[in-house]
Amino acid sequence: MSTEVIHQVEEALDEDEKKMLLFLCRDIAADVAPLNVRDLLDILSERGMLSAMGLAELLYRVRRFDLLKRIFKMDRKAVETHLLRHPRLISDYRVLMTEIGGNLEKSDLSSLFFLMRDYIGRKKLAKDKSFLDLVIELEKLSLIAPDQLDLLEKCLKNIHRVDLKTKIQKYKQSAQGAGTSYTNALQASFPNLSLKDPSCNLRLQNGRSKEQRLNVGQLDLQRESVKASIQESGAFLPRHIPEDSYKMRSKPLGICLIIDCIGNDTAFLRDTFTSLGYEVQYFLYLSVDSIIQILRQVARMPQHQDYDSFVCVLVSRGGSQSVFGVDQTHSGFPLDQIRRMFMGDACPSLLGKPKLFFIQNYVASESPLDNSSLLEVDGPELNNLESKAKQPGPCTIHREADFLWSLCKADVSLLERSSSSPSLYLQCLSQKLGKERRRPLLELHIELNSSVYDWNSRVSAKERYYVWLQHTLRKKLILSCK
């Protein structure tokens, strides 16, 4: 995104619109605290997280349809059509909060602030603060989250705003069915991750600030049906949030595939996942071709049908959208194709079971991604994927359901400073899983993000880790059969 366009947008927005835009983007740039909209958009653009359609969506969310037409030559309906068919940058939870705020009268807001005194104290919010300020304070206290809206619902009922209470109920109760398009809980659709398309870059950066450390509700499922149309107000698409847990009783729990092309993390990862009850298979120092071959072989393993889950840990040098393995060239294997190999239609023995990916990618920051360098993989798993997805069948579970995709990027210079140092991200993950295995995985991941943030606050930019989390988990997940 050009600086000229970013400047145009910032100049045109008023203060309320800027405040709303910053609120909408709280999760996709959670590790930074931009002073203004220009800084935020610039940071997202530098990280490859802001495409033209992403910025168009933001303008749509703040209802600046005039800027859509002037800058992008698009009308409101064109954006709505795009949002129905493609991954979205902003979560339905954030959209819902802004929609509720836009429908509150001053007297309603005053009553809400009064009702919340018992929870946030009398001096937390000045009288001139907005509903979105209130939401932020409640998030800090873990009193509100995407699946934790009972308090707000109760207060809206008490101030006789049943219409807004109904919006929350629709958000919570929408049933998912066949053909449901799943959306990530923290603030964006689970993208197709076609990383050749900058509009589908990984969008969830969870290096969370201390003020933004939320409980597990911040990460729970927010998938929704695409049957509902998007209203002019930018209405959310509702979804269903199931409360049961995944069955994790098989012995072993599943295959844990570890591919370590750096060689620093295999030992403790092997011990961790073995202790959790997984059958660990590990491979060191693979080329890109070998990575592809191993992934294919594992995706075809018949044992999956007898196991309750699957884990893949991948450590490699790479580009911003691919992994290189030990290859010295800058050709790489696209990250999206790794996930596609294990989708429900390509790997039916894992359909309905949690599939977990933890990826540590060391990226050369000065090396821009060359789309032509990405390897395309031939084979039935990938070439026939889209046609398979369109074929009708009796199963109602979406092929992209039950994934957790945790991606950590770090500068490749970390390896040059200390070639034998393990990944901080994977160390924290291993420690959390080893010591607190009976807690939900998403809850542990939030605490992992906090540990990463603490590290980042003490070191230089070249030593920082950046974590993105996306998931389509439909149930609570605890990685232990014991």
Side-chain angles (χ1 to χ4, degrees):
M1 185 59 56
S2 72
T3 55
E4 181 180 354
V5 171
I6 291 174
H7 180 72
Q8 276 185 290
V9 169
E10 192 207 25
E11 289 268 295
L13 297 178
D14 64 29
E15 290 306 312
D16 287 340
E17 291 164 345
K18 289 177 182 178
K19 196 171 186 178
M20 184 185 301
L21 192 147
L22 289 170
F23 174 83
L24 289 168
C25 294
R26 277 180 69 82
D27 302 302
I28 57 174
D31 64 316
V32 296
L35 299 176
N36 52 50
V37 167
R38 181 175 61 188
D39 291 341
L40 171 69
L41 298 180
D42 188 46
I43 289 168
L44 294 179
S45 180
E46 282 186 357
R47 293 178 176 179
M49 299 167 67
L50 186 68
S51 65
M53 284 309 305
L55 183 52
E57 178 188 343
L58 287 172
L59 294 177
Y60 172 83
R61 299 301 187 193
V62 299
R63 300 177 58 79
R64 286 304 302 266
F65 307 124
D66 58 321
L67 295 180
L68 281 176
K69 183 165 288 189
R70 174 153 59 90
I71 297 175
F72 295 106
K73 313 302 180 188
M74 299 177 66
D75 60 15
R76 173 176 59 83
K77 291 189 178 298
V79 178
E80 290 174 355
T81 300
H82 178 86
L83 293 176
L84 284 172
R85 297 176 179 175
H86 297 84
R88 296 182 302 283
L89 182 65
I90 305 303
S91 77
D92 293 340
Y93 163 70
R94 294 282 163 193
V95 173
L96 173 64
M97 293 300 103
T98 56
E99 191 172 63
I100 289 174
N103 282 280
L104 288 170
E105 304 292 341
K106 287 186 177 180
S107 59
D108 297 327
L109 191 58
S110 176
S111 297
L112 272 180
F113 277 24
F114 179 79
L115 289 172
M116 292 294 182
R117 279 185 180 182
D118 289 342
Y119 302 94
I120 63 176
R122 293 174 178 269
K123 298 180 180 180
K124 282 285 186 179
L125 290 171
K127 291 183 178 180
D128 62 340
K129 296 299 183 180
S130 68
F131 172 74
L132 298 184
D133 293 317
L134 174 63
V135 171
I136 291 170
E137 288 299 323
L138 293 171
E139 288 178 342
K140 291 176 184 178
L141 297 170
S142 299
L143 293 172
I144 188 172
D147 74 337
Q148 191 174 336
L149 296 171
D150 291 347
L151 175 61
L152 179 58
E153 196 174 341
K154 175 183 175 182
C155 290
L156 289 172
K157 178 182 178 181
N158 288 339
I159 66 172
H160 309 294
R161 288 305 304 266
V162 179
D163 57 324
L164 300 181
K165 177 177 177 286
T166 301
K167 285 183 179 291
I168 294 178
Q169 291 174 333
K170 289 181 179 178
Y171 166 93
K172 292 163 66 175
Q173 297 172 355
S174 175
Q176 67 182 34
T180 296
S181 176
Y182 291 89
T183 301
N184 180 283
L186 256 184
Q187 307 320 320
S189 313
F190 191 93
N192 290 328
L193 297 179
S194 174
L195 296 174
K196 289 186 176 183
D197 180 356
S199 69
C200 294
N201 286 345
L202 290 169
R203 297 188 176 102
L204 296 180
Q205 187 154 7
N206 300 327
R208 186 170 304 283
S209 71
K210 292 181 180 177
E211 291 77 9
Q212 293 168 313
R213 295 174 187 174
L214 310 182
N215 69 1
V216 68
Q218 185 76 14
L219 288 171
D220 278 346
L221 178 68
Q222 291 188 19
R223 290 298 176 197
E224 82 264 354
S225 169
V226 297
K227 295 178 182 178
S229 62
I230 298 179
Q231 302 172 6
E232 180 172 339
S233 62
F236 64 88
L237 296 178
R239 74 237 106 170
H240 173 63
I241 304 177
E243 297 178 353
D244 54 333
S245 299
Y246 285 102
K247 180 185 74 171
M248 298 291 280
R249 293 193 290 269
S250 65
K251 294 185 179 181
L253 285 177
I255 300 296
C256 173
L257 172 64
I258 300 173
I259 298 176
D260 187 353
C261 299
I262 306 300
N264 299 335
D265 303 286
T266 297
F268 67 83
L269 290 171
R270 180 187 59 211
D271 292 344
T272 297
F273 284 99
T274 298
S275 70
L276 289 172
Y278 282 89
E279 177 188 323
V280 176
Q281 299 185 9
Y282 62 93
F283 301 87
L284 295 171
Y285 311 117
L286 298 185
S287 65
V288 168
D289 288 341
S290 295
I291 291 174
I292 296 169
Q293 181 181 2
I294 294 298
L295 287 169
R296 276 180 170 169
Q297 289 175 355
V298 172
R300 294 168 177 164
M301 290 177 64
Q303 295 97 308
H304 293 310
Q305 64 186 354
D306 300 320
Y307 300 158
D308 288 336
S309 62
F310 169 72
V311 175
C312 176
V313 185
L314 174 58
V315 189
S316 177
R317 291 177 176 83
S320 63
Q321 302 168 4
S322 63
V323 291
F324 298 160
V326 296
D327 295 350
Q328 297 300 312
T329 65
H330 280 273
S331 60
F333 183 42
L335 290 167
D336 72 299
Q337 294 194 28
I338 296 174
R339 184 176 60 91
R340 289 171 63 189
M341 286 183 177
F342 294 88
M343 284 185 184
D345 47 1
C347 184
S349 58
L350 284 173
L351 185 66
K353 302 174 183 179
K355 297 164 281 285
L356 316 176
F357 292 81
F358 301 98
I359 300 175
Q360 173 66 71
N361 204 14
Y362 293 97
V363 180
S365 57
E366 71 275 6
S367 302
L369 178 66
D370 178 4
N371 286 345
S372 64
S373 71
L374 298 181
L375 297 180
E376 291 292 343
V377 180
D378 295 326
E381 296 94 337
L382 302 178
N383 288 347
N384 297 333
L385 201 55
E386 296 304 322
S387 61
K388 288 182 181 179
K390 296 176 183 177
Q391 294 174 1
C395 184
T396 60
I397 299 177
H398 194 278
R399 69 192 186 111
E400 294 187 54
D402 310 298
F403 275 87
L404 182 139
W405 183 271
S406 179
L407 169 66
C408 180
K409 294 182 184 179
D411 197 283
V412 72
S413 62
L414 277 177
L415 299 177
E416 298 166 0
R417 288 189 179 93
S418 181
S419 59
S420 60
S421 293
S423 159
L424 171 76
Y425 156 74
L426 292 175
Q427 272 190 314
C428 291
L429 174 69
S430 181
Q431 290 168 3
K432 287 293 179 186
L433 292 175
K435 295 178 180 178
E436 304 176 76
R437 63 185 62 189
R438 297 304 302 166
R439 294 175 61 196
L441 178 60
L442 293 178
E443 186 175 334
L444 296 181
H445 202 290
I446 288 181
E447 295 181 3
L448 180 156
N449 292 339
S450 296
S451 298
V452 171
Y453 172 81
D454 288 340
W455 168 268
N456 287 348
S457 66
R458 300 192 303 268
V459 299
S460 66
K462 288 285 188 179
E463 298 173 276
R464 292 174 183 169
Y465 292 79
Y466 299 97
V467 182
W468 282 261
L469 172 67
Q470 298 168 297
H471 76 84
T472 54
L473 298 177
R474 298 173 295 121
K475 306 174 185 179
K476 181 187 294 185
L477 176 60
I478 296 175
L479 286 191
S480 179
C481 61
K482 299 177 182 178

